[in-house]
């Protein structure tokens, strides 16, 4: 008799047990073992427990190529989470079979060993084909809203494949989380006076009774300064709107005479444009969008402003002209105007910025695009494919959080419309417009900053989002694979292009074929960077920058001013969100800014999908590089009055999970 020792590591974060019968079979290159029933003691254990069993055979099985797990359903369908299985052969060889899956229903699960295998080099193509056919039945495309990126075919979180569900329902209950945040922040008392206005800007300080931090406190104290306003275009929560302005838009009525007093180099506006010192934030995407009309008792408004920004001789970014309408005869608001005119004009820009951030920068360009990559990965890449092993940590919980968002956040009567000017039909209108500019190249970080003319450090210093983003992009940019003959990789990118992104014009110019290793490296960097760094940069600072409501109003209840000299503080307070909407707004940005329980940060991969030594060494090298980047950012931040942490690798979660 020969004995194989099988060690099973079991247990999820919450649950490890099952009352059903689970059996195990070793499949060798020459023969199979008999089915071995796993003892009940295997399952009543905590996360990470290791239990062993001996499998005795009369003859050597040959090379162990598969481990089969079969679960028999008894009275109820209990689920069991298997992390991995190690097999020690009679000769002492130790083989690892990663699992990290729930064993559910009356299910047979086939595990391959941990070596990455490309399809063209795999001797077990039939198992590979069966695995992908099974996944394609589970991960089906669906067009949730006409014109959106395609998403998972599931209406509720409970309809998702069990392996991609959150382990706690609390994680995806937006209504509960936001209400809990409102309670924790001490805002409940304001909800009773839902539609009543605050009386003065200082009243918003009542929102800060419970929670303050360095950034939000600084914003509260300095929000109305032009320097703080301009700084946020570089390092706030939506640092992707600023572009170099070489030529003024035809319908922007700003003139030399209007801005002359704001230009400190003694040059004309045209000379400053030519010198590269003029920047612009253009919210054209909001033109013609119907503002939130879901509450008949509160009229809400949107604007599509231009904001002209100037890099002065001190390398500070300052606003020098704001036009709230696209009409060529529209009023242009200036820093030299009355304090209330200029204050309200800036508020309108920030309200537009907030709504574009929520729907375009955050929802579309991180959440929805990452879901497309995740679904295509599950549909087209076998679990033994090296790229599957590389990407799996970066899609963790993404489909689950998006499904919950469609169910309770951005759905009709969802939480999103309780506070935001782009609630209701505006969600669809804005996403439709944004899809016209969603391209593959715009998701390549170096390309995106270059396209906006903000890639040069000397021309635009102190742009920490760009500087830190480039360091993280380069750290992530590591992969090595044979591409041209890899049918699964080609199916993956084809599925993204022709299915997930089919509603982009020209499919967003997403590649439908990768021909070189360099193209694959760039593509995978886009996938990982979007899910990790880009999402971190535009999500986890939401409370910092948006909690002080006058700095980033979620909606406006009065129309934008069309003339100067007609605005007073009463008009401003009647424009800003009322008590109820302000409370929903602050509760939402607080909840969305929190890391998940048990968050896994960039480079932290506790699930061992890779088992080859060279890959593990490469992962170690990657972690070391991330530590270097973290230390560079930490050293710089120690010298800053307002530190920028959002792209520090130790604060970048691996995936979109909130």
């Amino acid at each position: 008799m020969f004995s194989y020792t099988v060690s099973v590591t079991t247990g999820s974060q919450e649950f490890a047990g099952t009352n059903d019968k689970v059996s195990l079979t070793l499949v060798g290159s020459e023969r199979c073992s008999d089915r071995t029933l796993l003892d009940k003691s295997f399952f009543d254990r905590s996360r990470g427990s290791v239990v062993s069993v001996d499998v005795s055979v009369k003859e050597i099985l040959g090379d162990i190529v598969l481990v089969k797990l079969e679960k028999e359903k008894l009275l109820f369908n209990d689920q069991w989470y298997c992390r991995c299985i190690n097999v020690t052969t009679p000769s002492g060889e130790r083989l690892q079979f990663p699992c990290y899956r729930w064993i559910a229903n009356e299910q047979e699960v086939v595990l391959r060993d941990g070596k990455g295998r490309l399809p063209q080099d795999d001797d077990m193509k039939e198992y590979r084909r069966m695995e992908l056919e099974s996944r394609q039945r589970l991960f089906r495309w669906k067009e949730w809203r006409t014109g959106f990126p395609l998403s998972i075919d599931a209406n509720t979180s409970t309809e998702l494949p069990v392996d991609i569900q959150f382990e706690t329902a609390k994680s995806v209950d937006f209504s509960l989380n936001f209400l809990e945040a409102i309670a924790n922040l001490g805002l409940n008392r304001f909800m009773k006076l839902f539609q009543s206005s605050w009386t003065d800007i200082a009243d918003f300080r009542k929102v800060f009774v419970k929670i303050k931090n360095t950034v939000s406190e600084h914003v509260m104290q300095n929000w109305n300064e032009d320097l703080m306003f301009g700084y946020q275009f570089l390092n706030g929560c939506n640092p992707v709107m600023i572009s170099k302005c070489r030529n003024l838009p035809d319908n922007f009525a700003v003139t030399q005479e209007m801005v002359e007093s704001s230009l400190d180099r003694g040059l004309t506006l045209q000379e400053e444009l030519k010198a590269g010192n003029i920047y612009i934030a253009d919210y054209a995407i909001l033109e013609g969008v119907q503002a939130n009309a879901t509450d008949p008792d509160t009229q809400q408004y949107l604007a599509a402003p231009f904001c002209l920004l100037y890099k002065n001789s001190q390398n500070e970014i300052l606003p020098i002209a704001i036009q709230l309408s696209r009409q060529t005869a529209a009023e242009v608001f200036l820093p030299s105007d009355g304090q209330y005119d200029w204050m309200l004009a800036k508020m309108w820009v920030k309200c537009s910025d907030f709504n574009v951030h929520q729907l375009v920068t955050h929802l579309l360009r991180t959440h929805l695009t990452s879901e497309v990559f995740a679904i295509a990965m599950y549909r087209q890449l076998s679990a033994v494919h090296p790229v599957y092993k590389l990407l799996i940590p970066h899609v963790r919980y993404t489909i689950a959080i998006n499904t919950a968002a469609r169910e309770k956040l951005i759905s009709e009567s969802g939480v999103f419309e309780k506070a935001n000017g782009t609630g209701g039909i505006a969600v669809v209108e804005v996403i439709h417009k944004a899809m016209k500019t969603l391209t593959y190249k715009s998701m390549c970080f170096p390309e995106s900053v270059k396209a906006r003319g903000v890639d040069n450090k000397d021309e635009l210093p102190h742009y920490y989002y760009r500087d830190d983003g480039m360091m993280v992009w380069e750290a992530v940019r590591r992969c090595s694979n044979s591409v041209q003959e890899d049918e699964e990789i080609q199916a993956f990118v084809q599925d993204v292009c022709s299915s997930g992104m089919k509603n982009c014009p020209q499919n967003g110019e997403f590649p439908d074929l990768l021909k070189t290793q360099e193209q694959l490296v760039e593509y995978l960097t886009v996938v990982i960077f979007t899910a990790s760094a880009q999402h971190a940069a535009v999500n986890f600072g939401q409370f910092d920058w948006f909690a002080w409501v006058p700095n980033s109003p979620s909606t406006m209840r009065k129309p934008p001013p069309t003339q100067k000299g007609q605005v007073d503080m009463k008009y401003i307070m009647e424009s800003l969100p009322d008590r109820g909407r302000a409370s929903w707004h602050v509760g939402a940005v607080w909840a969305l800014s929190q890391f998940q329980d048990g968050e896994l940060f960039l480079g932290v991969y506790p699930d061992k999908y890779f088992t080859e030594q060279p890959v593990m060494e490469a992962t170690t090298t990657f972690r070391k590089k991330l530590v270097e980047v973290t230390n560079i950012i930490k050293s710089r931040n120690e010298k800053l009055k307002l530190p920028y942490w959002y792209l520090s690798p130790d604060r970048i979660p691996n995936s979109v999970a909130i």
Side-chain angles (χ1 to χ4, degrees), residues 179-392:
L179 285 170
E180 185 177 313
I182 288 169
N184 290 342
L185 292 164
L187 302 176
N188 285 358
R189 62 192 185 280
F190 302 127
M191 298 292 280
K192 298 174 184 176
L193 305 169
F194 193 88
Q195 290 174 323
S196 62
S197 298
W198 307 87
T199 56
D200 188 80
I201 291 288
D203 286 347
F204 287 102
R205 291 178 179 267
K206 297 172 183 176
V207 169
F208 276 60
V209 171
K210 291 283 185 75
I211 302 291
K212 295 181 183 179
N213 63 42
T214 302
V215 178
S216 63
E217 181 88 14
H218 190 84
V219 171
M220 181 180 69
Q221 293 171 353
N222 301 281
W223 67 279
N224 196 35
E225 295 179 6
D226 288 356
L227 184 60
M228 170 57 69
F229 180 88
Y231 175 86
Q232 292 176 70
F233 286 99
L234 299 180
N235 302 310
C237 205
N238 193 25
V240 301
M241 297 302 298
I242 187 171
S243 297
K244 180 163 287 187
C245 184
R246 294 294 189 183
N247 297 288
L248 294 171
D250 292 339
N251 53 345
F252 194 177
V254 65
T255 65
Q256 159 68 23
E257 290 72 28
M258 291 178 182
V259 299
E260 186 173 11
S261 62
S262 295
L263 308 179
D264 71 353
R265 292 183 178 87
L267 303 177
T268 66
L269 177 57
Q270 284 301 319
E271 289 170 336
E272 293 282 20
L273 284 164
K274 188 175 181 181
N277 295 321
I278 303 296
Y279 294 83
I280 193 169
D282 187 347
Y283 298 90
I285 193 171
L286 294 177
E287 184 179 9
V289 173
Q290 178 183 333
N292 189 343
T294 59
D295 182 355
D297 296 324
T298 302
Q299 183 78 35
Q300 298 178 66
Y301 298 88
L302 292 171
F306 294 111
C307 181
L308 204 64
L309 300 156
Y310 176 54
K311 187 192 74 171
N312 66 16
S313 58
Q314 304 301 310
N315 286 324
E316 298 166 335
I317 296 294
L318 298 170
I320 59 172
I322 293 171
Q323 182 176 304
L324 300 179
S325 165
R326 316 301 288 188
Q327 304 300 316
T328 53
E331 190 74 82
V332 178
F333 294 91
L334 307 168
S336 56
D337 292 339
Q339 69 173 107
Y340 296 131
D341 286 334
W342 184 235
M343 178 190 292
L344 185 57
K346 289 190 292 181
M347 284 178 173
W348 267 105
V349 172
K350 292 297 293 178
C351 180
S352 301
D353 189 78
F354 174 84
N355 281 282
V356 171
H357 166 272
Q358 292 293 352
L359 290 181
V360 183
T361 309
H362 185 208
L363 175 64
L364 175 61
R365 286 184 164 267
T366 63
H367 278 258
L368 300 186
T369 53
S370 290
E371 181 177 4
V372 167
F373 293 131
I375 295 170
M377 183 205 78
Y378 281 116
R379 286 173 52 82
Q380 305 298 348
L381 298 180
S382 166
V384 297
H385 198 294
V387 172
Y388 178 94
K389 294 170 179 283
L390 177 70
L391 295 184
I392 188 71

Side-chain angles (χ1 to χ4, degrees), residues 50 95 448:
V50 180
L95 305 171
S448 68

Side-chain angles (χ1 to χ4, degrees), residues 468-485:
D468 298 357
M470 285 301 302
M471 287 192 292
V472 176
W473 173 273
E474 290 303 323
V476 169
R477 191 180 162 84
R478 349 179 141 250
C479 179
S480 176
N481 269 310
S482 172
V483 182
Q484 293 174 343
E485 298 177 5

